[in-house]
Amino acid sequence: MSSAATKPQVISAPRIPNSGFIYDLPLTITQQLCQHLDSLGIWVQVAQRMRFSEEDIQSINRRIKATGESPINELLNIWGGKYNHKILELYMVLQKLKAYQGMRILKDYVPREYHILIPESGPALSQILPSERTDRPPRNNIGGLTPAASVTSESRSTIVSSDNNTSSNNNSWRSRSHLQPNNGYQAKPQTPRVEKEINRHHEAGLPEIDYHELTVGTNNWDERYRLGKGGFGIVYKGVWKLTDVAIKLMTYKDSDGQEQAKIQLQQSRNELNCLYRYRHDNILPIYGYCITGEKPCLVYQLMKGGALYDRLNSNKRPPLTMQQRIDISAGTARGILFLHTLLPNISLIHCDIKPGNILLDQCLQPKIGDFGLAREGPQDNSYIEVAHVYGTRGYLPPEFADLRRLSKHVDTYSFGVVLLEMFTGLPSVVDNKNFLRDYIKVLLQSKTIEDLIDKRIKLKPEERSLCKMGIELGLECIRDDPLKRPNMEDLVKIFNRYATVD
């Protein structure tokens, strides 16, 4: 988003008391407001009152045309979810536009003294709408809208790095693939980031947990209960409702500035939304959240088998057997396939598949966790360009690390690196300088695939071919051309043939 729109000043009221943030609104209220304002077709006027730049409005217009999303919801996600504007500010924007019915929808969520701004009867639509209704989007059949707003500038988006790539002449992946336009690896306008807010999950049924219960369940956050520490907080083992749980106590460090703290908070909201929406045997279950204590918390099922990373790199436990590695590969592939295919035309791309984010239960069944970097993308072979590269060094494919092109094939590549780690015993970065992909390519100049098998695995004669298969599939997944990597569905079918039947 351009500097002109990052900190809009739209409130002229003499006194603005503390009020809830836009993301605090119940989901039903947000949906009602979006439906009403979308039906008026005034989203461009709303964006202008929010002080979005012309370039930002153009970018949003292109994006909602491609996705069919509600334009008002898109504005609220950016203005309210990303930049933390309050309900009262939105209320005053609607007052400037004389959108009094929208104000009535929000009335219960602003201080009572502001209710007098709503007249007893609303104005005629001609007082709200522009003289030519060129920006009114038609409804679609799922309660959203297909925007058709008319705006003037055709400049490139400043909200994301590029969402207008379909005319690029140097798309080497497309030319190498020799595919028809509908199937080739083409650029697409960016789909919306998963940006639902924590408080909305209370409306949807995810329980808000009392902070005191978590304090008791961790013996007042006893250091002996600590399982690990990351950039966004500390994970504790605890007990809640007589059930073993893992509790992420989030700390938003602002040593890099307030913007970094906002990013950390948004990633936690992102993870909460993903874990709540995507329920699957191979996705980490979330039990609830807490925002009433000293620090916000997320509460998960405790994975008693630990992280796959620890099982691959620790000498405290016996090495995983070949069958266990096959089962973990199969379960992880099923989880990734579920993320990529649950929603029509949209893939949820995890963006950080690695052994540290593959957690094992007491039966060593894998659960994919840590969705802080996940985002929605195209389900076909196209890609979106993103403003920033994120993820973990050693697991990022070249088209993402170098060109910022994000697609579902990024997860396939990362899964391939995990397979190579599991079946060769080598780390993703060898000697702290060589990516595993490049290191193995050098080894294969003088060695065979069978030479790469992890020597720590005690293999039965019939298992050597399975280990070799795991390495070969890993090599297929890390091919430079995204279109030549295998489909996750095919990988699931292959591993399922050899996995343990429950």
Side-chain angles (χ1 to χ4, degrees):
M1 197 167 174
S2 67
S3 59
T6 53
K7 293 184 179 179
Q9 299 295 322
V10 300
I11 304 303
S12 58
R15 181 173 66 88
I16 302 175
N18 291 332
S19 64
F21 291 98
I22 290 173
Y23 57 70
D24 289 326
L25 283 170
L27 183 58
T28 53
I29 297 299
T30 301
Q31 291 173 337
Q32 185 180 352
L33 181 66
C34 289
Q35 276 193 332
H36 170 66
L37 296 179
D38 285 336
S39 69
L40 298 180
I42 60 171
W43 77 267
V44 173
Q45 289 89 332
V46 173
Q48 290 168 343
R49 285 289 179 180
M50 290 174 172
R51 300 292 176 88
F52 282 84
S53 70
E54 193 67 29
E55 294 94 326
D56 294 334
I57 294 173
Q58 274 289 337
S59 174
I60 294 169
N61 185 47
R62 289 193 295 268
R63 192 153 65 249
I64 60 181
K65 278 184 177 179
T67 63
E69 293 291 323
S70 159
I72 294 295
N73 190 58
E74 180 75 6
L75 292 178
L76 296 184
N77 277 338
I78 299 170
W79 203 62
K82 189 173 182 181
Y83 295 103
N84 293 330
H85 284 277
K86 293 187 174 182
I87 300 170
L88 181 57
E89 295 178 89
L90 176 59
Y91 184 82
M92 297 303 294
V93 165
L94 299 183
Q95 193 266 341
K96 293 289 186 183
L97 292 171
K98 296 182 173 60
Y100 297 130
Q101 182 56 34
M103 295 174 68
R104 292 187 182 95
I105 294 172
L106 296 177
K107 187 174 76 169
D108 292 340
Y109 301 92
V110 300
R112 185 176 297 275
E113 57 263 35
Y114 287 86
H115 294 183
I116 62 173
L117 297 176
I118 304 176
E120 292 185 3
S121 61
L125 283 180
S126 60
Q127 293 181 258
I128 301 177
L129 303 178
S131 57
E132 294 184 10
R133 297 294 305 281
T134 55
D135 66 332
R136 179 169 182 170
R139 291 185 180 274
N140 65 15
N141 59 358
I142 57 173
L145 297 152
T146 305
S150 175
V151 281
T152 56
S153 172
E154 288 298 331
S155 57
R156 187 176 294 270
S157 164
T158 57
I159 295 178
V160 294
S161 65
S162 173
D163 60 1
N164 190 22
N165 306 303
T166 52
S167 61
S168 174
N169 293 323
N170 60 353
N171 187 346
S172 58
W173 300 338
R174 179 177 176 182
S175 60
R176 285 204 308 269
S177 67
H178 302 293
L179 296 176
Q180 296 299 318
N182 288 338
N183 299 321
Y185 197 71
Q186 310 163 38
K188 259 192 178 180
Q190 181 158 357
T191 53
R193 183 80 185 267
V194 184
E195 289 185 337
K196 302 297 183 184
E197 308 299 342
I198 286 180
N199 284 357
R200 297 185 183 180
H201 292 278
H202 177 71
E203 295 294 317
L206 187 65
E208 182 175 357
I209 299 172
D210 185 83
Y211 187 78
H212 177 70
E213 291 184 73
L214 301 181
T215 301
V216 172
T218 56
N219 194 25
N220 198 24
W221 309 104
D222 193 321
E223 289 296 306
R224 292 173 296 179
Y225 286 60
R226 182 186 288 199
L227 294 175
K229 184 176 182 180
F232 300 144
I234 304 171
V235 180
Y236 290 87
K237 178 182 177 180
V239 176
W240 176 65
K241 306 296 184 188
L242 301 180
T243 302
D244 290 333
V245 295
I247 305 167
K248 181 186 287 187
L249 183 68
M250 293 177 283
T251 55
Y252 301 110
K253 301 176 182 178
D254 56 2
S255 58
D256 297 328
Q258 185 178 6
E259 191 61 30
Q260 181 63 26
K262 286 184 180 179
I263 292 172
Q264 293 173 350
L265 177 60
Q266 185 58 44
Q267 290 190 357
S268 296
R269 291 174 181 150
N270 195 39
E271 178 171 22
L272 175 61
N273 185 57
C274 291
L275 290 176
Y276 181 74
R277 291 174 64 196
Y278 292 81
R279 304 297 186 95
H280 185 266
D281 286 346
N282 299 113
I283 304 296
L284 179 65
I286 186 166
Y287 290 152
Y289 66 95
C290 173
I291 55 174
T292 58
E294 297 176 9
K295 296 174 183 177
C297 304
L298 298 181
V299 182
Y300 311 88
Q301 179 182 337
L302 179 66
M303 294 290 103
K304 296 184 178 180
L308 176 60
Y309 176 86
D310 296 327
R311 295 304 300 261
L312 294 177
N313 296 282
S314 174
N315 295 322
K316 296 180 180 179
R317 298 182 181 181
L320 295 168
T321 67
M322 175 54 53
Q323 188 59 57
Q324 288 169 338
R325 294 173 197 240
I326 291 291
D327 291 344
I328 292 169
S329 301
T332 304
R334 287 194 296 267
I336 297 172
L337 177 64
F338 180 79
L339 297 177
H340 288 183
T341 59
L342 176 63
L343 299 178
N345 304 317
I346 294 176
S347 287
L348 183 69
I349 305 167
H350 185 279
C351 297
D352 202 18
I353 297 292
K354 60 181 181 180
N357 290 336
I358 299 171
L359 307 175
L360 307 174
D361 65 15
Q362 63 268 35
C363 300
L364 300 185
Q365 288 302 303
K367 317 274 186 179
I368 300 172
D370 199 345
F371 283 75
L373 299 179
R375 65 187 301 163
E376 292 174 352
Q379 199 172 94
D380 57 14
N381 284 326
S382 59
Y383 63 85
I384 58 176
E385 287 194 12
V386 296
H388 304 287
V389 173
Y390 36 81
T392 303
R393 182 171 171 254
Y395 297 92
L396 303 180
E399 78 274 4
F400 186 47
D402 300 334
L403 301 172
R404 294 181 285 108
R405 292 176 172 178
L406 177 65
S407 72
K408 64 182 181 181
H409 304 295
V410 169
D411 284 348
T412 305
Y413 181 97
S414 304
F415 178 63
V417 177
V418 173
L419 290 179
L420 292 175
E421 289 184 271
M422 291 180 65
F423 294 104
T424 68
L426 295 169
S428 62
V429 181
V430 182
D431 297 329
N432 211 27
K433 59 182 179 179
N434 298 312
F435 290 154
L436 182 55
R437 173 195 66 181
D438 302 323
Y439 186 77
I440 284 183
K441 285 181 180 179
V442 173
L443 287 180
L444 288 177
Q445 293 176 3
S446 58
K447 297 180 180 292
T448 65
I449 288 180
E450 194 159 339
D451 294 330
L452 300 179
I453 293 176
D454 189 350
K455 304 299 188 294
R456 296 172 300 174
I457 311 175
K458 296 180 180 179
L459 293 173
K460 301 175 184 176
E462 64 273 16
E463 290 179 333
R464 296 196 70 82
S465 61
L466 283 180
C467 194
K468 184 179 176 182
M469 177 194 73
I471 297 174
E472 290 173 339
L473 290 175
L475 292 172
E476 287 295 308
C477 289
I478 64 168
R479 295 181 70 135
D480 287 339
D481 188 340
L483 290 177
K484 293 183 178 178
R485 296 171 197 157
N487 295 322
M488 287 307 306
E489 184 175 357
D490 293 334
L491 291 169
V492 169
K493 290 178 179 177
I494 292 171
F495 280 114
N496 276 350
R497 290 185 205 140
Y498 306 100
T500 303
V501 178
D502 294 333

